Structures are given as C-alpha cells and as structure tokens.
Amino acid sequence: MGPSRLQRMRRAWPRLPAPHGSRVAFRGRIRWFPSAFHAAAAAGHPGIAAARRTRLPQATGETFSMCIPPPNVTGSLHIGHALTVAIQDALVRWHRMCGDEVLWVPGSDHAGIATQAVVEKQLWKEQGVRRHELSREDFLREVWKWKEEKGGEICEQLQALGASLDWDRECFTMDADSSVAVTEAFVRLYEAGLLYRNQQLVNWSCALRSAISDIEVESRPLPGRTELRLPGCPIPVSFGLLVSVAFPVDGEPDTEIVVGTTRPETLPGDVAVAVHPDDSRYTHLHGRQLRHPLTGQLLPLVTDSAVQPHMGTGAVKVTPAHSLADAELGARHGLSPLSVIAEDGTMTSLCGDWLQGLHRFVAREKIMSALRERGLFRGLQNHPMVLPICSRSGDVVEYLLKSQWFVRCREMGDRAAQAVESGALELSPSFHQKNWQHWFSHIGDWCISRQLWWGHQIPAYLVVEEQTKGDREDCWVVGRTEAEARKIASELTGRPAAELILQRDPDVLDTWFSSALFPFAALGWPQETPDLTRFYPLSLLETGSDLLFFWVGRMVMLGTQLTGQLPFSKVLLHSMVRDRQGRKMSKSLGNVLDPRDIISGVELQVLQEKLRDGNLDSTELAIAAAAQRKDFPHGIPECGTDALRFTLCSHGALGGDLHLSVSEVLSSRHFCNKIWNALRFILNALGEKFVPQPAEELSPSSPMDAWILSRLAHTARECGRGFLAQELSLVTHALHHFWLHNLCDVYLEAVKPVLLYSPRPQGPPQVLFSCADIGLRLLAPLMPFLAEELWQRLPPRPGGSSAPSISVAPYPTACSLEHWHQPELEQRFSRVQEAVQALRALRATYQLTKARPRVLLQSSEPEEQGLFEAFLEPLGTLGHCGAVGFLPPGVLAPSGWAQAPLNDTIQVYMELQGLVDPQTHLSLLAARRHKLQKQLDGLMAWTPSDGETETKRQQRLSSLELELSKLDKAASHLRQLMDACPSPREL
C-alpha cells in the first residue's frame, strides 16, 4: 500500500514561513486567519514537532503519553468526539509546555461491520455487484481502495480541531504492525488456555449474518404494542404483545398448561415447559408430559427454581437454542436444543415444510393462525418489554447456537477489578469504580468470532480428515503462520505435515479485540515490550460507561495478561454531550453536529442536504429536517476552532451530562474577539521601539500595576491547579475572568489616561507586555490558534532564545510568579471595585451619560481612607467620574449631591447639581417605577408549583424590591434638588 493521504499532505507542507499572520476586519470586528505557521503549530507541523522533541530549556525529564480513542474509519467526528479531542489536546499541550516529554498517538479503527457495509453498498450502487460475487481478495482490495480514498475525513477533522498529535506515530488497526500484534495476542491467549472454540449462544444479526458484541445490542424499551419495519422483512411486525398458548397434558384431554410468550415464532424450538417446584397449581402434574401445540410431540414438564411463579401463569416454555435463560435451564435438565431460526433469519428444516424458508416474522403470523385453527390460542394482550435491536442494522437480535472462538474472561476480569480496588488503576470520576467492579464480577466469556471478510482473519486452522471418524470433534490448531500451524497439527495427529489439509477459519476477529490491543501495539508490542507503567502512563478519555467496559476494560484484561502490566494508570471519563434541550445527539433527531460546521459555519440548506445524504428513512428524515429548521433557522454562524474548544472545556466535564448550544460557542467567539482587541491595544501602546524586561526583574511602579500582576499570578496558580486535577473548567473560568474582568474591564481602562502622560511612565508598558505574554501562554493549551497568532506579534525578550512556537514555550507557573502575588492588595482593591459599581449605579439611576461628576468619599474609619487614597485616580476613571476626593468624617454632604452607602462606615457622594434636570428625571423615574411595580405585583400574585421555581421567584422579588427602593431614594434626592435651586429651564 502507498502512503496515506495524510502522509502525502504532510510531505507537501511548505517550510515554516516568517511568523506573520493576516488580519482582516469584518462586521466591525477583528478576525484572525492563521497562517501556515500558526496552523502548523496548532495541528502538528513536522517542523514544530521536531522543535518540541528537542530538549526544551524547561525539560522536566517526565513523560506524559496518551492514545486517542480510535474512531471508526468509516465515520466522522461529532461533538462528543470534539470534547474528547479538546480535553486531550489541552492536557497534551500543557504537559508539553511544562517540559514533559509528550507522546499522543493518533489512530483509527477499521470498524469491521460498518466498513464492510459501506463498501458493499457502494459496490452495489456503482457496479451492481454483491460481495459474494467477488473473491475475498478482490473484495478486500476494494475495501482498501475505499479506505485510502475516503477514510481520511477524521484526520481532516482532527486537524481542524487543532489536535497536536504525533502524526508520524499514526496507527490503523488493520496495518501490518497491528496485524502482528493481533495474531500474537490470539496465539498467546490460546496457549495460556484462555481462548477456546465452542458451540454457544451468541448475539446474532440476521441482516448482517454475523455475530455481534453486547455493545452493538441496543435495548429498546416498548410500552406495549409497537409496530416496526425491519430490514429484509416484507411486512410490518408488531412487538410488545404477550401470546398465550395452551400445551395439552398428555393423557388428560381436558387438562392443559397455558404459557405466555412474546416470541411465538420460536415455538417450533420448544423442548419443554418449566414451572417452579413449589407452585401448588402444578404439583399434581410433576413428571407428566405435554403435547407440543404445533407438532403434537411429547415434551417434559420440568421443575426449576429459576421460574418465577408470580409472573403470568407461572409456566414458561423452554427454547434452549434461542434464549440465554432457557439455554441455562435446558443445560440443568439435559435438554437438547433445537435450532429453528437460520443465520439469515428464515425458519430451518426442523420446523417442517410448512414453515421452512419463511422469514421468521412471516412465520410468526402463520404459527398464530395455526394455533387458532387447532383451538390452542388463549389470548393476546399488551405487554411492556425490552427488545434487543442491532445498532448496526436495525434488525431484531436473535440468539443462535454457533461454533465460535471465545476468550475466558473470569481470571483476567478479576485482575482488572483488583487493579481498581488496589489503586493501581484510577478511575476518574471515582463513582465509576462501583460500576467497574459490578461489571467485572458478572463478566462472561467473550465471543470474538465475526462472520465478515474485512478484519483480522482468525489464525486458526481446521485439520481436514481424509475420512470421517464417527462423532470425533473437529480438530483445530492455532499458529502465527500456516507453516507453524501445520507443524503443530503434525505433532497433534502424528501424521506427516505434508499430508495434512488445513482450512483457515474464514471468520475475522471482533473489532474490539484489535482495539483493545491498540495502546501497546501502537508502542511496538510484541516486537518491543514498553515499560508502560513507567514511561507510558496512558490517560484515556471516553464517553459513557459502555465504552469504559467494552474498550478500556478489555484493554486492561489483555494488557495485564499479555505484557504483565497495566496499559495505563488512569482512565478519565468525561460527560456525554447533549443538545441544549438535554437530548442525546441522534441523527434521527437532527441534532448531531459536525464540529467543522460550528468552526466554519454552515447554511441551513447544507445541513438539510447532509440529512438527505444519510441513511434515515422517510419518517425519520422528516422529523430530523423539521428539528433542524427549528434549531438553526438561519444555519450555524462561524464560531472558530478556539471558541469551540474553549466552550467544550468550560463545562465540568467530570460531572453530569454536558448540554451544549451554539449560542455558548458564539459567546466564546466574542471572548476571542475581546482578547484580539486587547492585544491590538497593547501592541499599539508598546510601540515599535519597546524592549521588554525579564519577568523576574519587573517590579510594579503603581498599586494598579501591582494589582494586575497579582491577579496574573493568581490566574497562573488556578490554571496549574485545574490542569493537575484534569478539571479544565477551573482553567477556563480563571482565564475568562482574568482576560475579561481583570485585564480588559479594569486594568486596560484604568491605564489609558496614564499612557497619555508626558513623559510617559515606563512601568505600565512593561506590565502590559507581561500580561499579554504570560496571559497568552496560559491560554495556549485551550486556544492554540489565537494564542499562537497573537504571541508571534509580541516583541521578543532580549538576551534569550525565543521558542519557535508558543506550543513549546514555557507554561507559566505559580512558583515563577509568586513574587507578584499580593492577596492583601487584591482584597483592598475589591473594596475599590465596590465603590466603582456604586458610582456606575448612581450614574445609571440619574442617566448621566456624558457628564463626569465630582465624587466624595466619607469614611468613619481612618484606615479605610488610606485604602482608597492609593486608588483615587483609577476609581474616578473606572467610575466614569471627575475628580475624587474625601469628605471629612462628621461633615455634612454638600447640597445637591446624590448619596450611596458602600457599607456601615463608608458613604459615596456624587455631584448632581447642574448636571441633571430634576423635573425631567422625576418623570422618567416615575415611569420606570410603574413598570417595576407592575412586575412585582404580578410575581406576588403568582404561586409556582415546584420549590425550584419558588426559589427563583423569591430572588426576583428581592431584586425588584431593592430596585424600587433605589428609585424612591433617587426621586427624593431629585425633589430636594428642585427645592434647593431652580431647574435649568427656569433660569
């Protein structure tokens, strides 16, 4: 096979250009278009990859490695995948910037069933050819061709999301190295006695004609009668019905036992009727025989304590070949199973000529008619039930007896449970530990055979005997190659190897088998045995407990068995992403979103076209299309990669389900614009000749400078704490608060008049530079594109070798910025901010839009006055006021000044005289008061039905009452002002 499309694309990438991006104004805002350099730094350009693999100045000698949960090669990433990538990439980038040696292995899963189905549909659509019309080799050639041409969409999505994966370590679960690992694992498990072949009941998809795993069985609850259309069935089929059937007691014409069943089509496979041994209704019939209602054959009445006497009639039919529970019951009583449903879902010859070859659900109706004709039908009623559905085909899952390969899981499962119990394997959040222990305590053997062509063909060979030797079981041998298998067969049979005829098992292995080997196979096993616990402490992220058990659980089992060590030390499970209404993402609901559509924006028409190109039936398509038109009437606006990543990481990923809306992502885009504009202001303030000081030498020259640097140090501390705890919502909250509420809303506004001084002070530009440099580095793991673009524009610090990319620049630590941290100063300035809010509230109340009124502060505590003295200028600037001074304690406020208390000891006074027209403002206040009073009266008259709504009502009532009190106080001030002096219109 030739190079993949990704490999060809990487080879075609240009060398790193000069670090300059482009900036384009749109709709009055600034938008960034990352250059090749910046996109490369975010998505893993080989030049940047080489730089980050050299020993960085901040190198720690520690290792951090992860593998991406390999998505199916047939599919595309949805928002759930995007959450996984956003969290993993943020952690990877943080560790890399901290100086750890980082490995993040990309890869994809060959998705046996899904890929084969896609290619089969394509062959039929384009060539009119069915799979079985081709040889196995020719079909596999078509699959590889499809994979090379169309299997790279996921890689494109990963790059769009900015995933900084080690692309030169990219793995595919069907590549040569993976094949070697899969074969070696199969052979070793067989040699250890943990793998065997046997005839057992398996989950069977008749539409796929293959066994399927438990995770591919969807349990669909039905409230009662429900009509479904199933693949391959010519008629609609009703489920959720309980059919009552009479089994006559042999020798007693008027005596019968009535049993209930939801599967009348399996009646031909019944071999007994069972009752509870203590059920007095049937004690007199113990040991008797019954007549089969269809064939008239004699069936035993058996007693078994597993039967629930209070369910239905207390009697159940026993069908060991098509029911897991019946198979166990039949084995206890030595009952031979009868397989009456074939691989394709039709009835077998054991059913008789009248049913043989019919679709099982067509046969159901024929059986029901026969029961009525024979007078043995006893009723039909609604019956809530859970129907097993194949998630791959939509067909009802059957349980069929098949000779398959199984992995013994009990011993390995006990070790996996012990690993969590002992703390060797950590599950985060910890509440998954209980489910983990429960699942492994009830684990059964794992069927790994699949009746497909696409996948790893099982390395087992049937020794074909020249003559049939009675009832002797088939002779199977396992080997890494046919030659090895032939040698083993020769030793086993005592016959010359050249005379033996071997037939390789045509089945392939369950995709989960190769996926479970993915982490250590990607690291060179079995050719190399990496010390996983020391050098590769893998951290894996996935959604939902099912994947935890089916993938991670199997990785733990196989990893400990094959390598003698855990394949990772922690599993980190994040939340499931739901839409804003709390619904699970589903194609049939029309709420599944391609991350690229949020990143780049998409029109409604395109969203609807994607639905039509999918595989929804007409009913589902209509529902999904209507939902899309309702949710996205104008399409999805362009939000950008960084905004999507930041939004996903901002949720408490380790808690409950994540409800995502596009409006949230749009809000993060506005936050990105805020950062962009802040950097534009800072760069303009620095000028062309600015030379930054080393951060360790920067000493603040004013209280405001000291405050913002302290907030920066605090933010670095919070970011480090969030990354260490792998709770990224702490990081996003800290960064959002610093950039928006500390830097943009406070410091930049306060420093603007200072920058106009002549001569210009040297301190603020240095502080601005440090805020930009350190703030962007703190932001880089979450917003790599924006951070890279803006960081490259900053002037370099003198005397140091600047990192080629922010992705390998040192991540700021609390320790390195500790000399700036002044919590007491922050506490004092919070009192100043309270005063700012009070001043702004007064301005809003009296609608002072342009005026800059004078302000006086009055405190009864001398130390409080000292607190404000250091911040008088920023207080006036941030409060949009004029000069700020102090009113001595005990002195009355000047006439015509508004008053607002900050607390019991501080009063704020604002000059109003000459700045407002009392008569005009009194009428405006009256109108606003009337509006608020109306809202208050409505809330008072409304009684909510639940406690949560009542709490919100009380909060709103308090808010309205406080606002009304402020308006009344303002009106009183205005009336006093009218009495003290004439209005401007009277002069």
Side-chain angles (χ1 to χ4, degrees):
M1 295 179 292
S4 68
R5 176 168 61 170
L6 176 65
Q7 291 168 329
R8 293 193 299 268
M9 181 176 67
R10 287 208 303 268
R11 292 174 185 174
W13 275 357
R15 296 182 63 187
L16 293 180
H20 296 290
S22 56
R23 184 173 61 178
V24 179
F26 77 113
R27 296 180 185 173
R29 299 192 177 183
I30 299 298
R31 175 186 177 190
W32 52 95
F33 292 87
S35 67
F37 176 85
H38 306 121
H45 189 289
I48 293 300
R52 72 188 188 211
R53 285 181 185 158
T54 59
R55 189 166 182 82
L56 300 174
Q58 70 270 27
T60 63
E62 298 292 328
T63 298
F64 180 79
S65 60
M66 268 194 303
C67 68
I68 193 170
N72 289 350
V73 71
T74 55
S76 60
L77 302 182
H78 52 64
I79 289 297
H81 293 111
L83 175 58
T84 298
V85 172
I87 296 174
Q88 281 195 320
D89 191 58
L91 292 174
V92 161
R93 288 176 179 276
W94 178 71
H95 277 279
R96 189 180 294 126
M97 293 177 71
C98 287
D100 296 343
E101 186 177 352
V102 173
L103 173 65
W104 188 18
V105 180
S108 55
D109 187 90
H110 65 276
I113 293 175
T115 304
Q116 181 160 312
V118 167
V119 176
E120 285 193 64
K121 289 179 181 179
Q122 179 176 290
L123 284 172
W124 176 249
K125 182 179 180 180
E126 296 180 359
Q127 303 178 31
V129 174
R130 299 291 187 190
R131 169 167 63 101
H132 291 285
E133 297 177 44
L134 301 174
S135 67
R136 184 169 187 150
E137 292 72 20
D138 288 341
F139 177 75
L140 291 179
R141 196 174 293 112
E142 291 291 333
V143 178
W144 279 110
K145 179 182 176 183
W146 176 90
K147 190 263 179 185
E148 294 300 322
E149 291 178 353
K150 301 183 179 179
E153 182 177 7
I154 288 173
C155 293
E156 295 173 2
Q157 289 179 300
L158 288 171
Q159 290 180 338
L161 286 166
S164 56
L165 290 147
D166 290 88
W167 288 107
D168 56 347
R169 301 293 292 269
E170 183 184 4
C171 300
F172 178 52
T173 55
M174 277 291 287
D175 61 25
D177 291 339
S178 181
S179 295
V180 170
V182 167
T183 299
E184 184 66 24
F186 190 94
V187 172
R188 290 193 190 185
L189 290 172
Y190 181 79
E191 292 174 346
L194 295 173
L195 201 152
Y196 66 96
R197 185 177 177 86
N198 193 28
Q199 186 181 58
Q200 296 182 27
L201 280 182
V202 298
N203 303 322
W204 188 267
S205 171
C206 297
L208 299 173
R209 299 195 188 185
S210 175
I212 58 175
S213 66
D214 291 345
I215 201 172
E216 289 157 343
V217 178
E218 173 193 334
S219 297
R220 184 176 300 178
L222 303 179
R225 179 167 186 157
T226 305
E227 194 171 86
L228 300 176
R229 288 194 171 273
L230 302 172
C233 185
I235 58 172
V237 185
S238 294
F239 295 91
L241 296 172
L242 186 69
V243 180
S244 297
V245 182
F247 284 71
V249 177
D250 184 47
E252 297 188 25
D254 297 329
T255 306
E256 64 186 26
I257 292 181
V258 177
V259 301
T261 178
T262 59
R263 298 295 307 276
E265 63 274 13
T266 63
L267 273 169
D270 290 352
V271 296
V273 171
V275 296
H276 194 278
D278 299 331
D279 192 336
S280 59
R281 291 172 294 178
Y282 304 111
T283 305
H284 66 291
L285 297 177
H286 288 184
R288 302 296 296 271
Q289 291 188 311
L290 312 177
R291 289 287 177 181
H292 194 289
L294 296 178
T295 66
Q297 293 178 327
L298 292 176
L299 304 180
L301 176 67
V302 300
T303 59
D304 196 286
S305 58
V307 178
Q308 301 180 36
H310 303 295
M311 295 290 291
T313 63
V316 296
K317 70 189 198 70
V318 182
T319 320
H322 300 289
S323 165
L324 296 173
D326 291 2
E328 295 177 0
L329 189 152
R332 289 195 292 270
H333 296 276
L335 301 172
S336 299
L338 291 177
S339 294
V340 296
I341 297 177
E343 293 181 355
D344 62 354
T346 61
M347 306 303 285
T348 68
S349 59
L350 294 178
C351 302
D353 294 341
W354 69 296
L355 293 176
Q356 182 180 357
L358 289 178
H359 190 284
R360 63 195 187 282
F361 295 124
V362 174
R364 170 191 285 191
E365 299 304 318
K366 200 166 185 180
I367 289 171
M368 297 276 284
S369 297
L371 291 172
R372 289 186 175 94
E373 291 173 3
R374 299 178 188 192
L376 298 176
F377 177 76
R378 294 294 179 266
L380 185 70
Q381 64 186 57
N382 277 344
H383 181 72
M385 63 179 292
V386 176
L387 189 67
I389 298 291
C390 172
S391 63
R392 300 294 185 183
S393 65
D395 200 4
V396 172
V397 173
E398 296 294 340
Y399 300 101
L400 301 188
L401 272 174
K402 304 294 296 181
S403 291
Q404 308 275 272
W405 291 96
F406 294 85
V407 175
R408 301 184 198 276
C409 294
R410 171 60 60 190
E411 180 182 341
M412 293 189 290
D414 288 343
R415 287 203 297 266
Q418 178 59 29
V420 171
E421 188 174 345
S422 67
L425 172 60
E426 179 186 353
L427 300 182
S428 181
S430 59
F431 62 76
H432 286 293
Q433 294 181 10
K434 183 177 180 180
N435 293 334
W436 177 276
Q437 301 293 354
H438 179 269
W439 192 78
F440 277 109
S441 66
H442 293 81
I443 193 172
D445 288 354
W446 172 18
C447 173
I448 56 174
S449 296
R450 297 293 180 267
Q451 290 62 48
L452 305 170
W453 282 357
W454 173 243
H456 294 282
Q457 191 172 355
I458 295 175
Y461 300 80
L462 174 66
V463 182
V464 180
E465 300 289 347
E466 294 181 357
Q467 295 179 349
T468 303
K469 298 183 179 179
D471 295 332
R472 181 177 174 182
E473 294 183 358
D474 291 340
C475 178
W476 288 88
V477 292
V478 170
R480 296 169 181 83
T481 63
E482 183 177 339
E484 183 178 271
R486 187 174 295 277
K487 180 181 178 182
I488 296 171
S490 177
E491 296 172 354
L492 188 64
T493 62
R495 296 167 55 190
E499 296 180 5
L500 296 174
I501 301 175
L502 301 185
Q503 288 182 354
R504 187 169 181 178
D505 192 333
D507 292 350
V508 300
L509 288 165
D510 179 11
T511 302
W512 292 102
F513 191 86
S514 54
S515 294
L517 300 173
F518 181 79
F520 37 95
L523 299 175
W525 187 88
Q527 293 89 342
E528 302 174 13
T529 304
D531 187 347
L532 298 172
T533 57
R534 180 175 180 184
F535 296 109
Y536 298 99
L538 289 167
S539 177
L540 302 154
L541 299 96
E542 258 304 339
T543 53
S545 58
D546 286 346
L547 285 178
L548 165 66
F549 301 142
F550 272 86
W551 182 43
V552 180
R554 281 162 167 73
M555 273 193 288
V556 173
M557 291 196 304
L558 296 188
T560 52
Q561 176 64 35
L562 297 171
T563 69
Q565 56 189 316
L566 289 168
F568 43 80
S569 58
K570 187 172 183 178
V571 183
L572 175 60
L573 291 142
H574 65 62
S575 310
M576 177 178 288
V577 180
R578 298 180 180 271
D579 66 12
R580 63 179 180 180
Q581 301 175 45
R583 301 175 303 175
K584 186 176 179 180
M585 298 291 186
S586 168
K587 291 180 180 178
S588 60
L589 293 176
N591 60 357
V592 173
L593 296 177
D594 184 333
R596 292 171 299 184
D597 290 341
I598 300 178
I599 292 170
S600 303
V602 65
E603 296 178 352
L604 175 62
Q605 179 182 351
V606 176
L607 289 173
Q608 302 266 285
E609 289 173 356
K610 287 185 177 182
L611 281 180
R612 289 191 288 271
D613 292 340
N615 57 359
L616 299 179
D617 61 36
S618 57
T619 302
E620 290 176 326
L621 179 61
I623 294 173
Q628 274 190 350
R629 288 192 295 269
K630 179 181 179 182
D631 291 341
F632 312 112
H634 307 294
I636 299 175
E638 180 182 21
C639 297
T641 299
D642 289 322
L644 176 59
R645 289 169 56 114
F646 195 84
T647 303
L648 291 170
C649 291
S650 67
H651 287 266
L654 304 185
D657 290 344
L658 188 160
H659 295 187
L660 182 73
S661 66
V662 174
S663 60
E664 284 184 87
V665 188
L666 201 57
S667 177
S668 292
R669 189 186 89 164
H670 297 154
F671 176 51
C672 291
N673 284 330
K674 194 78 171 179
I675 295 172
W676 178 278
N677 287 327
L679 262 292
R680 184 172 61 172
F681 171 84
I682 291 174
L683 290 172
N684 288 335
L686 297 183
E688 297 181 358
K689 298 181 180 181
F690 175 79
V691 178
Q693 284 181 268
E696 59 274 13
E697 297 179 10
L698 176 59
S699 179
S701 59
S702 72
M704 279 307 301
D705 291 351
W707 174 80
I708 192 61
L709 291 177
S710 182
R711 291 305 303 164
L712 183 58
H714 173 81
T715 302
R717 181 184 298 274
E718 290 299 294
C719 289
R721 189 167 68 90
F723 274 119
L724 282 172
Q726 296 180 334
E727 182 54 81
L728 300 188
S729 60
L730 298 177
V731 183
T732 57
H733 174 77
L735 289 170
H736 187 270
H737 190 78
F738 172 76
W739 277 98
L740 194 60
H741 301 298
N742 295 156
L743 184 62
C744 293
D745 289 353
V746 178
Y747 185 74
L748 294 188
E749 294 302 317
V751 84
K752 285 178 181 178
V754 178
L755 294 173
L756 298 176
Y757 290 174
S758 181
R760 190 179 192 181
Q762 297 298 312
Q766 295 292 344
V767 171
L768 287 171
F769 174 84
S770 290
C771 287
D773 172 40
I774 296 172
L776 289 173
R777 283 189 280 139
L778 289 171
L779 189 68
L782 298 162
M783 290 187 171
F785 287 99
L786 176 62
E788 187 74 61
E789 172 71 28
L790 295 176
W791 191 76
Q792 291 292 336
R793 295 168 180 260
L794 292 176
R797 293 188 187 271
S801 56
S802 180
S805 163
I806 197 173
S807 64
V808 289
Y811 196 81
T813 64
C815 181
S816 65
L817 305 179
E818 185 61 31
H819 60 290
W820 287 344
H821 194 209
Q822 300 186 52
E824 292 182 0
L825 175 67
E826 292 184 35
Q827 182 63 32
R828 292 199 303 270
F829 188 70
S830 66
R831 303 289 301 278
V832 176
Q833 289 178 295
E834 292 174 6
V836 169
Q837 295 304 317
L839 293 175
R840 290 180 177 179
L842 285 174
R843 288 179 56 83
T845 300
Y846 295 102
Q847 298 185 353
L848 298 175
T849 55
K850 296 181 180 181
R852 293 293 183 264
R854 289 181 297 164
V855 171
L856 291 174
L857 300 177
Q858 186 178 55
S859 174
S860 60
E861 303 291 339
E863 59 272 17
E864 283 187 321
Q865 180 169 321
L867 182 153
F868 284 96
E869 281 179 344
F871 295 102
L872 288 183
E873 183 176 2
L875 175 59
T877 301
L878 297 172
H880 305 296
C881 299
V884 180
F886 290 101
L887 187 66
V891 177
L892 294 177
S895 176
W897 288 55
Q899 177 190 10
L902 284 186
N903 53 40
D904 293 339
T905 60
I906 300 179
Q907 299 288 328
V908 175
Y909 298 95
M910 178 182 288
E911 183 181 24
L912 295 182
Q913 193 164 353
L915 300 177
V916 298
D917 179 353
Q919 288 184 341
T920 302
H921 280 78
L922 275 173
S923 61
L924 294 174
L925 289 178
R928 175 156 178 74
R929 195 190 191 292
H930 177 75
K931 181 179 179 180
L932 293 180
Q933 185 65 50
K934 191 174 181 181
Q935 294 180 23
L936 182 66
D937 295 340
L939 277 176
M940 294 288 287
W942 176 53
T943 304
S945 57
D946 60 275
E948 182 178 355
T949 307
E950 171 60 19
T951 300
K952 293 180 179 179
R953 186 182 80 100
Q954 291 295 337
Q955 292 173 346
R956 179 58 179 158
L957 283 173
S958 299
S959 176
L960 287 171
E961 289 170 349
L962 179 61
E963 187 67 20
L964 286 169
S965 174
K966 290 181 179 179
L967 291 178
D968 290 342
K969 191 172 183 180
S972 175
H973 270 293
L974 289 172
R975 282 191 287 270
Q976 293 175 11
L977 196 61
M978 287 179 63
D979 295 339
C981 60
S983 68
R985 287 179 294 182
E986 295 174 347
L987 295 178

